[in-house]
Amino acid sequence: MSRLAILGAGNGGQALSGHLALEGHDVSLYELPAFAEKLQPISEAGGIELTGTIEGFGKLRCASSNAQEVVDGADILFLVVPSFGQVPILKEILPFLRKSMRLLFIPGNFGTLEAAALLREKGISVGLSETDTLPYACRANSPGHVHVWGVKTGVSFASFPSKETPGELEKIQAVFPFKLNPLSNVLESGLSNMNLVVHCAAVLLNAGRIEATRGDFRFYTDGITPSVGKLQELVDAERVQVGKALGLDLPDAREWVRRAYSLKGDSLYELLSKNPAYANHGPDAPKSINHRYVTEDVPNLLVPLMELARACILETPITRSVVTILSALLEKDFARDGRNLQKLGLNGMSAGQIRSYVTNGKE
């Protein structure tokens, strides 16, 4: 039995906590003090109740907003929060990190690169890895009660630097309940997160429907029409092009969805709108365009794509247009405030230098 810490008590964090506990591990759940109220029902119940694709009650060692209580003695730390929550939690746990620990970002969204710069500044060394996506399609109906609609057959995995990927994967796979498929590096991991392709374009083209209905429709099923799917495929083509310039052979989004969910279809419209993992429940669309599908995915996925393209001396007009319009609608400067080359520790690097850095780290 391994001692594990889940950092973040949202939908995904609760699902993973319950699932790992059901697998027989010693699991603790952490949430920032500002959001600690969701932990009380979990602590009183003693664990997480899962229903749907995964059934059972996962008993936890503790559910706490005390970082030391959760982190001390943990072998692996799973950071399961939106991208904007990664650095705040990382700063809370810094005093309790030890060299033998491993930190896995689920999903990474280039978070390992930002974390590496912060940890290097503090003189702290831990194993850093990330996945390309969350393995669950789930919702916490209330704190401690999570319904899982579906699970992916596996998720992709990379460490920073990538020369550490084989060893880190072996240790984490020993406890992780899903197949981890190794990638070339964390650039491939970040660029393989399909939220980059799916969410922002769909919110933009569904803006009127979202505001008129307050999200009273199924986002992936009703909201993905042929035109929405076309815009997603255009963003995807730019993603694949940037990946190629960085030495990555990225599958296109259609292939990725077919593989992840064992589906058949020729277009993103067909594959997303008819996916049973999303079709068999009620309305789930954002109630506003000021939603994490924009506020998380634009600065942490689309902006890195644009910035990496700039380093590779490439243009991404479709992606840039989506970023520009959503920035204007929300009156935010996502390009300035998002994960740009400076924040990722890549400023001034050429494509070749970036490839070397993510492979070998700071030399």
Side-chain angles (χ1 to χ4, degrees):
M1 180 173 65
S2 298
R3 177 170 286 190
L4 310 174
I6 311 302
L7 310 174
N11 296 336
Q14 290 188 48
L16 183 60
S17 297
H19 195 179
L20 288 171
L22 283 170
E23 294 282 312
H25 299 291
D26 181 356
V27 180
S28 297
L29 177 64
Y30 173 78
E31 184 55 273
L32 289 167
F35 307 104
E37 70 280 353
K38 71 177 68 172
L39 295 176
Q40 184 176 349
I42 299 171
S43 184
E44 291 174 352
I48 306 286
E49 183 73 37
L50 298 179
T51 58
T53 304
I54 304 169
E55 298 261 350
F57 180 80
K59 185 177 180 180
L60 303 183
R61 181 168 67 88
C62 73
S64 173
S65 59
N66 181 320
Q68 184 171 11
E69 181 181 12
V70 173
V71 173
D72 265 357
D75 303 306
I76 302 173
L77 314 174
F78 299 91
L79 188 54
V80 194
V81 292
S83 301
F84 50 75
Q86 291 172 342
V87 170
I89 285 186
L90 189 58
K91 288 180 177 179
E92 289 291 317
I93 67 172
L94 279 178
F96 316 113
L97 293 176
R98 302 291 177 264
K99 191 171 183 178
S100 62
M101 292 177 172
R102 284 163 175 81
L103 180 58
L104 178 64
F105 292 71
I106 306 176
N109 296 350
F110 305 97
T112 50
L113 291 174
E114 190 167 4
L118 176 61
L119 292 173
R120 187 164 53 245
E121 178 185 314
K122 300 294 183 181
I124 298 170
S125 176
V126 298
L128 288 175
S129 303
E130 64 179 61
T131 69
D132 63 331
T133 187
L134 183 73
Y136 308 95
C138 63
R139 177 185 292 169
N141 296 320
S142 61
H145 295 85
V146 181
H147 187 75
V148 180
W149 300 314
V151 296
K152 297 178 175 69
T153 55
V155 296
S156 296
F157 174 96
S159 297
F160 176 82
S162 63
K163 65 182 182 181
E164 305 294 339
T165 294
E168 293 298 307
L169 186 148
E170 181 181 5
K171 293 178 175 68
I172 294 173
Q173 186 68 86
V175 303
F176 198 64
F178 297 91
K179 171 69 173 171
L180 294 171
N181 303 304
L183 296 174
S184 301
N185 53 49
V186 294
L187 295 177
E188 185 174 8
S189 173
L191 290 171
S192 295
N193 187 335
M194 287 303 109
N195 291 349
L196 183 160
V197 173
V198 174
H199 285 168
C200 307
V203 169
L204 178 58
L205 294 192
N206 277 282
R209 188 174 193 176
I210 288 169
E211 292 176 339
T213 68
R214 295 284 298 163
D216 189 21
F217 64 96
R218 296 172 300 173
F219 184 71
Y220 295 96
T221 304
D222 306 320
I224 309 301
T225 64
S227 292
V228 174
K230 179 63 173 177
L231 181 59
Q232 291 169 333
E233 289 175 3
L234 291 170
V235 171
D236 187 48
E238 293 182 345
R239 178 187 68 89
V240 172
Q241 180 190 32
V242 171
K244 184 176 181 179
L246 291 167
L248 304 172
D249 184 18
L250 300 174
D252 68 30
R254 290 164 296 188
E255 180 182 341
W256 190 97
V257 175
R258 282 193 290 260
R259 186 176 61 206
Y261 291 100
S262 300
L263 297 173
K264 295 182 179 180
D266 295 325
S267 67
L268 275 182
Y269 159 63
E270 292 176 293
L271 290 162
L272 294 175
S273 65
K274 302 181 190 310
N275 187 342
Y278 298 109
N280 295 330
H281 57 269
D284 60 356
K287 298 183 183 301
S288 161
I289 65 168
N290 189 16
H291 183 272
R292 65 180 180 85
Y293 288 175
V294 175
T295 58
E296 178 180 9
D297 295 344
V298 172
N300 298 295
L301 290 173
L302 291 190
V303 168
L305 174 61
M306 286 194 325
E307 289 282 279
L308 289 168
R310 182 163 66 88
C312 297
I313 318 177
L314 292 173
E315 295 294 331
T316 50
I318 303 300
T319 300
R320 186 172 294 277
S321 295
V322 174
V323 172
T324 299
I325 295 171
L326 288 172
S327 296
L329 292 178
L330 293 185
E331 299 181 345
K332 296 180 183 293
D333 191 340
F334 287 125
R336 181 195 65 198
D337 299 333
R339 281 185 167 152
N340 50 42
L341 295 175
Q342 180 70 38
K343 287 188 177 180
L344 297 177
L346 306 176
N347 202 35
M349 295 187 188
S350 66
Q353 290 170 326
I354 290 172
R355 289 197 299 269
S356 177
Y357 174 65
V358 298
T359 300
N360 301 304
K362 199 78 170 179
E363 297 181 326

